[in-house]
Amino acid sequence: MTILKATTQGQRLSQVVLAHIQGYLQGKKMKKIIFCAFMLGVLFNLPGCVTQTKQTSQKASDLSNPQTLPPTLISREVLFGNPSRYQGRVSPDGNSMSFRAPVDGVMNIWVGKIGDFDSATPVTQDSGRGIPLHFWSLDSRYVFFTRDKNGDENWHLYRIDLDSGDIKDLTPYDGVQASQMDQNAAFPGIVVVGMNDRDAKWHDVYKVDVATGQRSLIIQNDGFSYFVLDNKLNARVAVKTAEDGASHVFIKSFDEWNPWFEVSFADSSSFNILGFDQQNEGIYMIDTRERNTAALVYLPVGDTTPTSIASSDKVDVTNVLFHPRTHKPIAYALNYIRPEWHAIDDALIDPIQQLNSQLSGGSQVLAQTIDSSLWTVFTDQSNQSPIYKVFDTTTGELSDLFITQPEINNLPLSVMHGVVIPSRDNLDLVSYLSIPLEADPNQDGKAERASPLVLLVHGGPWGRDEFGFNPLAQWLTNRGYSVLQVNFRASTGFGKAFLNAGNKEWAGAMHNDLIDAKEWAIEQGITSNDQVAIMGGSYGGYATLTGLTVTPEAFQCGVDIVGPSNLITLLDSIPPYWESFRQVFYHAIGDPNTEEGLALLKARSPITHVDKIEKPLLIGQGANDPRVKQAESDQIVEAMKKRNIPVTYVLYPDEGHGFSKPENNLSFYAVAEAFLGTCLGGRIEPIGDDFSGSSIEVVHGAEFIPGLAEHLGSK
């Protein structure tokens, strides 16, 4: 079963991810990497940290009680530097393992015998931003990886021949963005890749010979959002986005595309065709039609009424696993506060019960062996280092593969708590709260005293916050701030009504949810009204700008990373390969081609209200960002300068939509730490050499952060 599709509003807006956030499932297909247009994972790998002198908001009376003393200051380098190992994978034959680990400080791919780390050696020697993503060929002969140039997201797909060490670019075309990468066990030595070198707007679909790199066209794309290939690698199903935002599904017969069925805009946000069954007689889908939450369903070719396989009335079905050979769905996850796995295959009922009993935090299945006997599982406690594990589906045994950052397990880490906050119109906002150790000595989520709070807003907005170890939350709680992460309306996973409640509500009801969460935290005694900052990346950056303009008295300061300031210019400058989803953006945000839509976009753009800003603002931007272009930050900084409103603007010439290089992350967090310390009074780690090796440029406003100009001078 092979799936080739571009992205849609709910869960898919680009096909390649930095880091391992969702991983690829080997076998039935490589699991789609969800890297939404404005996403959280990469964006919350923010940059650096800065300061001159240590500060504390601790009162003298608190210091007499040892329980209220702040813990040891954790180095930013420990939290934001390279892990020891990351992105673990077991090969499809079950004999080898791979992972990302540093080579001279840059993350590269290592391969060795499974469980034998002495045998592992690096198979890449990248010296730039590092290798963000890798996965195995189904015959275990090759390892694939992706790489772009300085964050431009023109991803190329490379393969490594493990016998010879030879590395080949399988998409060696100027300006190409490789996407929709897939394999099928029936076609060894072939990888299917979408490439847009013919027309930047549309990805044509090719079979690529992994050994030679030779490509052959499967189908030319003349305007479809995506294709679904059957198990003979024939393009059988195609989806096109209509002007009303609906998804029109076509079936191919006698070399012509014929209409099959339609999915309304309200349902298209969550709709996802997962692929064909083994006999190529029907398709598996994620579907919300006739229901609120997304179900896994099966639809025979030619029929219009699907059969439900798995569903929940509370949350969407996510992370469906298929057997790599039979192409049958065998398991899925449900994720409200924390994920829980469920068996579809009867043979997996007992093993998965054992799996769940051994998991108390977050978990993701990242890879399968070709016989699905072994799964690579990423396990994620909130106050411990994440661990990659191997799950034996025949015995239910869950064993460690490696710990990503063993050194952090001996540090004073805070606990993340799942909380459900009511919105003013009675929506349930699934959120995550982390409180400093000194404010919650029992770490039970009950603050014994108030502390400054950072409202940390996820990107997307069509993504979600999840339970697990979060370096940003640990950094902030260690500095003395509580952290609240809110799944506001438009976040994914909680049903289509919740998702669609965010349509046309940027800076409206979506922002009200954040304000409601802030008020909840005050009512709970977690913080006080004048001690709250707002911070986030991409949509979270937009939310930060909205917070300081639409509600100028609500926050003491804001940290915006690659956030759009002008929704009109944002939509005007979307990448050409998002053309098929332009109507989705228009229906979800506002249509600039109508008088009403243009007025809405202007009213909801922070730059329209820039003169209302009263509180300090820090902006971080990657110069090569193809989604939220540098102009989005430039224009609001210029507008603030004209009005003599203080703003500090940090630019990275070698970054894109978020910061990938550890040196750049460290430098930005250094700046952000000094900024927040000045604003909210939290503790500050001296900057030291955290600017070393970074491309940081402070375009404007270094004087507004104590010590910043001096450190830049000695960089």
Side-chain angles (χ1 to χ4, degrees):
M1 168 168 37
T2 303
I3 296 176
L4 291 158
K5 64 186 299 183
T7 53
T8 73
Q9 174 189 345
Q11 300 180 36
R12 333 170 270 286
L13 279 173
S14 174
Q15 292 296 324
V16 185
V17 70
L18 300 174
H20 85 293
I21 292 178
Q22 292 275 358
Y24 277 88
L25 290 183
Q26 297 162 331
K28 67 116 182 162
K29 65 180 172 75
M30 287 162 288
K31 183 180 180 183
K32 260 183 296 297
I33 302 305
I34 304 169
F35 189 44
C36 290
F38 314 103
M39 168 166 173
L40 77 125
V42 167
L43 298 173
F44 285 171
N45 284 335
L46 308 180
C49 83
V50 156
T51 103
Q52 284 268 96
T53 59
K54 293 185 181 180
Q55 300 180 10
T56 178
S57 58
Q58 208 73 23
K59 296 179 180 179
S61 59
D62 293 331
L63 301 180
S64 62
N65 182 350
Q67 285 189 316
T68 66
L69 289 172
T72 302
L73 205 67
I74 301 174
S75 167
R76 290 181 297 266
E77 187 171 4
V78 170
L79 291 172
F80 301 119
N82 286 322
S84 301
R85 300 184 181 99
Y86 206 62
Q87 204 178 92
R89 301 284 188 268
V90 173
S91 62
D93 62 12
N95 295 324
S96 302
M97 66 178 179
S98 60
F99 51 86
R100 292 169 57 227
V103 174
D104 296 328
V106 178
M107 295 297 280
N108 277 275
I109 302 170
W110 296 59
V111 175
K113 296 178 181 178
I114 187 168
D116 181 3
F117 290 96
D118 290 337
S119 70
T121 57
V123 294
T124 61
Q125 297 290 332
D126 188 88
S127 59
R129 299 170 76 237
I131 305 296
L133 172 73
H134 84 283
F135 52 97
W136 284 82
S137 66
L138 295 183
D139 58 11
S140 300
R141 293 180 55 192
Y142 303 94
V143 169
F144 299 105
F145 68 91
T146 60
R147 185 168 56 191
D148 70 349
K149 292 183 179 179
N150 294 327
D152 65 2
E153 296 187 17
N154 284 325
W155 302 100
H156 283 225
L157 175 66
Y158 299 81
R159 67 96 172 114
I160 308 163
D161 186 325
L162 295 179
D163 289 333
S164 67
D166 177 62
I167 297 176
K168 178 178 285 291
D169 184 352
L170 298 179
T171 56
Y173 308 102
D174 291 340
V176 70
Q177 187 208 51
S179 73
Q180 309 165 345
M181 295 159 285
D182 209 350
Q183 300 180 83
N184 189 299
F187 294 87
I190 296 294
V191 62
V192 178
V193 188
M195 305 183 212
N196 63 337
D197 55 310
R198 180 186 61 85
D199 185 335
K201 293 181 179 180
W202 311 107
H203 285 79
D204 300 328
V205 182
Y206 293 89
K207 290 187 290 188
V208 179
D209 186 296
V210 178
T212 66
Q214 183 176 355
R215 70 176 182 174
S216 58
L217 182 68
I218 294 177
I219 191 163
Q220 179 172 304
N221 187 355
D222 293 318
F224 287 104
S225 303
Y226 62 90
F227 300 96
V228 183
L229 273 61
D230 66 14
N231 294 304
K232 295 180 180 179
L233 300 188
N234 296 315
R236 290 274 306 284
V237 174
V239 179
K240 180 175 291 187
T241 303
E243 289 189 4
D244 62 358
S247 294
H248 291 197
V249 181
F250 296 81
I251 185 78
K252 193 172 188 181
S253 59
F254 302 105
D255 291 327
E256 290 189 2
W257 291 108
N258 300 304
W260 184 2
F261 61 92
E262 296 181 9
V263 179
S264 70
F265 172 71
D267 291 294
S268 66
S269 301
S270 302
F271 174 70
N272 188 0
I273 300 178
L274 301 177
F276 275 86
D277 62 10
Q278 187 172 24
Q279 293 75 29
N280 296 322
E281 295 176 349
I283 56 175
Y284 296 104
M285 304 186 296
I286 297 294
D287 195 2
T288 59
R289 291 175 299 163
E290 308 300 327
R291 56 180 297 115
N292 179 42
T293 53
L296 171 65
V297 303
Y298 175 75
L299 181 65
V301 170
D303 287 358
T304 56
T305 303
T307 300
S308 179
I309 298 172
S311 64
S312 164
D313 291 334
K314 196 170 187 178
V315 290
D316 296 341
V317 168
T318 58
N319 298 334
V320 179
L321 302 183
F322 287 76
H323 192 287
R325 286 201 173 108
T326 68
H327 308 292
K328 291 182 179 179
I330 56 177
Y332 64 95
L334 299 175
N335 187 3
Y336 190 62
I337 299 295
R338 305 183 191 192
E340 183 177 77
W341 289 93
H342 298 264
I344 299 173
D345 187 333
D346 289 344
L348 289 175
I349 292 175
D350 289 340
I352 285 183
Q353 286 180 346
Q354 289 180 253
L355 173 66
N356 286 328
S357 70
Q358 298 172 81
L359 298 172
S360 57
S363 62
Q364 300 174 53
V365 177
L366 302 176
Q368 299 162 270
T369 53
I370 197 72
D371 60 2
S372 198
S373 63
L374 300 177
W375 297 354
T376 306
V377 183
F378 178 78
T379 63
D380 197 10
Q381 296 286 350
S382 66
N383 62 340
Q384 298 176 18
S385 171
I387 304 175
Y388 285 84
K389 296 177 181 282
V390 178
F391 175 57
D392 189 324
T393 63
T394 62
T395 66
E397 181 182 1
L398 187 67
S399 56
D400 289 0
L401 184 62
F402 61 79
I403 301 174
T404 64
Q405 291 174 278
E407 68 275 10
I408 73 173
N409 286 337
N410 298 318
L411 298 174
L413 301 176
S414 60
V415 175
M416 179 181 287
H417 302 275
V419 296
V420 180
I421 300 171
S423 72
R424 65 189 65 181
D425 55 350
N426 299 315
L427 293 182
D428 289 337
L429 309 177
V430 174
S431 305
Y432 298 94
L433 173 67
S434 304
I435 303 178
L437 296 177
E438 62 272 26
D440 179 14
N442 298 321
Q443 285 294 280
D444 58 4
K446 309 294 184 184
E448 293 191 0
R449 65 174 177 82
S451 58
L453 182 140
V454 176
L455 189 62
L456 194 59
V457 187
H458 71 68
W462 308 299
R464 63 161 293 176
D465 280 314
E466 298 188 356
F467 180 89
F469 178 79
N470 187 314
L472 273 182
Q474 294 297 342
W475 165 59
L476 291 167
T477 55
N478 183 258
R479 272 38 175 184
Y481 310 112
S482 289
V483 178
L484 186 58
Q485 299 166 260
V486 183
N487 283 310
F488 47 87
R489 70 192 69 205
S491 299
T492 56
F494 304 102
K496 69 181 181 186
F498 189 83
L499 180 64
N500 289 317
N503 291 338
K504 308 287 180 66
E505 292 296 341
W506 288 43
M510 292 164 68
H511 186 64
N512 290 343
D513 289 345
L514 299 178
I515 298 299
D516 292 347
K518 175 202 167 186
E519 295 302 321
W520 174 88
I522 295 169
E523 292 170 3
Q524 299 296 314
I526 296 164
T527 191
S528 57
N529 187 57
D530 60 351
Q531 286 193 304
V532 182
I534 184 168
M535 176 178 182
S538 199
Y539 178 85
Y542 166 84
T544 296
L545 298 177
T546 298
L548 296 191
T549 54
V550 175
T551 52
E553 298 180 357
F555 302 100
Q556 293 303 108
C557 56
V559 180
D560 152 39
I561 303 94
V562 295
S565 63
N566 186 330
L567 297 181
I568 298 172
T569 56
L570 173 73
L571 294 179
D572 283 345
S573 61
I574 62 174
Y577 43 83
W578 286 358
E579 182 62 30
S580 63
F581 302 103
R582 186 178 293 275
Q583 292 300 325
V584 173
F585 287 119
Y586 289 174
H587 283 78
I589 306 173
D591 187 348
N593 299 305
T594 68
E595 184 176 341
E596 179 184 8
L598 193 64
L600 177 66
L601 292 170
K602 183 176 180 181
R604 299 292 174 83
S605 294
I607 197 166
T608 302
H609 312 284
V610 67
D611 56 347
K612 297 178 183 177
I613 296 180
E614 302 173 356
K615 304 296 174 60
L617 175 62
L618 169 64
I619 294 177
Q621 178 69 47
N624 304 310
D625 191 339
R627 314 178 192 193
V628 179
K629 296 186 181 296
Q630 181 181 333
E632 292 298 316
S633 292
D634 288 350
Q635 58 188 326
I636 197 163
V637 170
E638 285 303 311
M640 293 177 70
K641 286 168 59 178
K642 289 179 181 178
R643 293 164 173 81
N644 295 315
I645 303 171
V647 57
T648 301
Y649 181 20
V650 179
L651 181 69
Y652 292 90
D654 56 353
E655 295 285 6
H657 196 60
F659 313 140
S660 292
K661 292 182 67 175
E663 296 87 351
N664 290 339
N665 272 317
L666 283 172
S667 68
F668 186 81
Y669 285 124
V671 176
E673 187 166 313
F675 175 81
L676 290 171
T678 301
C679 168
L680 294 181
R683 299 193 297 165
I684 302 175
E685 177 189 3
I687 187 172
D689 60 357
D690 280 357
F691 282 7
S692 177
S694 170
S695 65
I696 184 172
E697 298 177 2
V698 179
V699 179
H700 177 76
E703 68 273 18
F704 300 127
I705 299 179
L708 177 56
E710 294 89 325
H711 284 294
L712 287 169
S714 61
K715 175 175 174 280

